[in-house]
Amino acid sequence: MQVAILGTGYVGLTTGACLAFLGHKVACVDADLKKIGSLQRGEMPFFEPHMIELIADAGQNLTFTADYAKAIPGAQVIFIAVGTPPGANGGPDLRYLESAARGIGDNLGSHFTVIVNKSTVPIGSGNWVDSLVRDAFQRRNGNSPGGSFAVASNPEFLREGSALHDSLYPDRVVIGADEPQTAEVLYTLYRPILEQSFTAPTYLPRPEETEAVPLISTDLASAELIKYAANAFLSLKISYINEVGQLAEKVGADIMQVAKGMGLDARIGTRFLQAGIGWGGSCFGKDTAALVATASEYGLKMPIVEAAREVNRRQRGRVVDKLLGELKILKGRSIGLLGLAFKPNTDDLRDAPALEVAHRLVERGAKVKAHDPVAMERFRLENPASEVICCETVEEVASGADALVLVTEWPQYRELDWEDLARCMRSAILVDGRHALDRTRLRRAGFRYIGLAG
Ligand code: UGA
């Protein structure tokens, strides 16, 4: 099928690369000429494992352009995957969505086209996009025939860092459409994924247990709500284990054992029960805020979601509390942060806990050094005035430090030479913000190990 994808962020580029790899003809469109130029040269705008290989394997099926007129008229399916950054009043800023919808209406071809909302948009956006496209089409073409289209919602559930894996082997595909013809077009588009009939790339092998992927076909509003409800549930699962973690510390329980013992109950599940500094990134904070804002438009409160947000806010402060508890005074201390990205395998720094921890420490007069395997370049670019000193090695971060804090659980941090690091620190204190390190090994290496939940 001919596909156009508007927006080359995580969602747009991942969707484009996967669909092109599966054999569709995909044009990725972005208004940012510089970005399009880099993509045409094979340079990635962000770090995502295996993206370069998948794009190379997609070959001629994947093209990049800044010109709507080149991509839209021939497309049978158009994905809107533009950014919806946080706006005022808790809701997202829909400027890019609006301009994408108008651009589609201005360039729509004469055949039936399915327009898919892939960006996380407020509930009811399907209808809004429909009217924007229709208005733009009529302004340009008057009442001439053509411009037959339908809007669908196809929310994305990919996680940064494993975006391609999550897209090729999803737990489910959700399609929200008000007419059967629309859902059928998307069914055809996704058939290789739904039936798992494609040959898996060697670098992204199909998980052994993968079978046919369930398709959830719904009306528009339900699909839109599924996305928010899922993200909010995952956020509150993490906040719940972090709240239990505070009590675990008081009563002398081990939060990791508690999470395991709870999670093995199939009704609860082990995933997203990793206690630590809490969630960051561009999705959970924005989507929980948007859900609360939407509910309030209908006179509803969502106290559970609000509590999840509050617990998450508190969690970041706990790192500083732990350091204060150990060092008493932070002024003049040297604190080393291991990890800047909001999670491993990405260079994304949006709402990254490390940034807030660094800010609080600097505010209290501490000197902050940091290391991250991939996110330091982006950190320097996005925070040119930051007082945080980026170090090329963990040894540099540890040298003369009063304490280290593990903020992002990059796998390579598990394998550090902890004896060596302990020797070069002023005091060998480690706050494990993710409960990711082997505390026995750390203690043997001479560290005072402190978990966020004891
Ligand atoms: C999240 C969802 O997991 C995706 O399904 C969704 O598509 C995406 O948002 C989105 O809406 O675009 P993402 O934010 O990329 O994906 O990453 P996650 O793996 O969900 O991690 C989010 C945050 O939660 C990270 O800071 C991570 O460190 C933290 N986390 C995750 C925990 O603190 N504990 C856990 O057990 C799991």
Side-chain angles (χ1 to χ4, degrees):
M1 295 178 91
Q2 295 274 354
V3 180
I5 299 186
L6 312 185
T8 55
Y10 284 95
V11 172
L13 200 54
T14 301
T15 308
C18 289
L19 290 176
F21 170 78
L22 294 173
H24 299 295
K25 294 276 175 209
V26 181
C28 283
V29 191
D30 203 296
D32 183 342
L33 279 170
K34 217 170 126 207
K35 204 169 170 192
I36 289 297
S38 318
L39 283 163
Q40 284 168 338
R41 288 192 299 276
E43 295 161 16
M44 293 304 115
F46 49 78
F47 175 86
E48 181 63 39
H50 305 302
M51 185 66 92
I52 294 180
E53 290 113 297
L54 198 75
I55 288 182
D57 281 353
Q60 300 302 313
N61 282 347
L62 186 61
T63 54
F64 299 100
T65 176
D67 189 356
Y68 273 44
K70 276 202 184 128
I72 289 178
Q76 296 156 278
V77 181
I78 302 169
F79 283 97
I80 304 181
V82 295
T84 49
N89 314 324
D93 176 352
L94 299 177
R95 233 176 318 166
Y96 305 111
L97 180 68
E98 185 173 348
S99 120
R102 290 193 202 286
I104 295 172
D106 282 342
N107 291 283
L108 209 56
S110 51
H111 53 275
F112 176 67
T113 312
V114 175
I115 300 166
V116 189
N117 261 337
K118 193 93 177 151
S119 307
T120 305
V121 294
I123 299 154
S125 295
N127 299 338
W128 185 55
V129 166
D130 190 297
S131 75
L132 288 171
V133 174
R134 206 166 296 284
D135 287 353
F137 181 82
Q138 280 171 359
R139 238 193 336 269
R140 173 157 287 215
N141 302 285
N143 284 331
S144 65
S148 146
F149 71 92
V151 176
S153 165
N154 169 219
E156 185 49 70
F157 303 107
L158 63 84
R159 293 160 300 167
E160 288 179 24
S162 50
L164 300 173
H165 177 277
D166 292 352
S167 300
L168 291 173
Y169 313 114
D171 291 341
R172 76 299 204 189
V173 170
V174 174
I175 293 176
D178 288 336
E179 323 77 15
Q181 189 192 0
T182 314
E184 265 161 41
V185 171
L186 293 180
Y187 182 84
T188 310
L189 185 79
Y190 281 124
R191 190 189 297 273
I193 288 178
L194 294 169
E195 296 176 355
Q196 287 293 303
S197 53
F198 63 91
T199 306
T202 46
Y203 45 87
L204 285 165
R206 178 174 286 116
E208 263 173 35
E209 68 282 8
T210 310
E211 291 170 2
V213 172
L215 171 72
I216 312 294
S217 192
T218 71
D219 57 275
L220 265 175
S222 302
E224 289 168 348
L225 183 53
I226 285 170
K227 169 71 190 199
Y228 283 104
N231 267 4
F233 187 79
L234 293 169
S235 326
L236 66 93
K237 210 173 164 190
I238 299 167
S239 283
Y240 180 71
I241 201 65
N242 282 333
E243 187 171 272
V244 174
Q246 294 187 30
L247 182 61
E249 181 176 32
K250 297 282 183 215
V251 301
D254 177 345
I255 192 58
M256 299 302 281
Q257 303 276 20
V258 175
K260 192 169 174 195
M262 278 170 60
L264 287 172
D265 182 329
R267 293 170 302 174
I268 297 173
T270 48
R271 296 167 74 190
F272 280 68
L273 277 185
Q274 178 67 39
I277 199 166
W279 37 270
S282 68
C283 304
F284 287 172
K286 183 180 70 159
D287 292 355
T288 49
L291 195 59
V292 170
T294 303
S296 85
E297 283 172 24
Y298 291 87
L300 290 177
K301 282 200 177 308
M302 297 196 86
I304 295 179
V305 181
E306 286 185 36
R309 290 172 57 77
E310 173 56 28
V311 169
N312 199 58
R313 263 193 298 271
R314 265 195 258 149
Q315 214 56 17
R316 295 182 180 189
R318 286 175 64 77
V319 169
V320 180
D321 292 346
K322 292 283 179 190
L323 289 169
L324 273 173
E326 285 302 311
L327 298 168
K328 309 300 174 205
I329 289 164
L330 291 177
K331 211 178 264 313
R333 302 282 194 183
S334 169
I335 311 292
L337 304 184
L338 302 185
L340 288 167
F342 84 96
K343 61 178 284 193
N345 290 319
T346 179
D347 61 349
D348 197 340
L349 294 160
R350 285 175 290 176
D351 196 21
L355 271 53
E356 193 171 330
V357 169
H359 177 73
R360 289 187 190 203
L361 291 172
V362 168
E363 246 180 10
R364 284 181 171 270
K367 174 172 146 193
V368 179
K369 295 194 277 181
H371 173 268
D372 189 287
V374 303
M376 290 200 295
E377 198 183 320
R378 186 179 288 277
F379 178 82
R380 288 193 193 102
L381 212 71
E382 292 179 359
N383 303 278
S386 172
E387 290 182 40
V388 175
I389 304 159
C390 286
C391 302
E392 292 309 318
T393 63
V394 173
E395 289 69 26
E396 260 181 82
V397 174
S399 173
D402 294 284
L404 289 177
V405 181
L406 179 86
V407 190
T408 316
E409 70 282 30
W410 283 93
Q412 45 271 61
Y413 291 153
R414 293 199 174 94
E415 304 310 323
L416 292 169
D417 185 341
W418 291 106
E419 280 80 8
D420 229 37
L421 293 175
R423 271 195 295 274
C424 70
M425 291 175 69
R426 195 176 312 153
S427 52
I429 295 171
L430 183 123
V431 177
D432 185 351
R434 297 286 183 175
H435 296 277
L437 301 173
D438 179 345
R439 63 179 70 192
T440 316
R441 188 171 150 203
L442 268 280
R443 281 177 185 147
R444 253 204 322 266
F447 272 91
R448 165 135 175 76
Y449 173 96
I450 302 156
L452 271 201

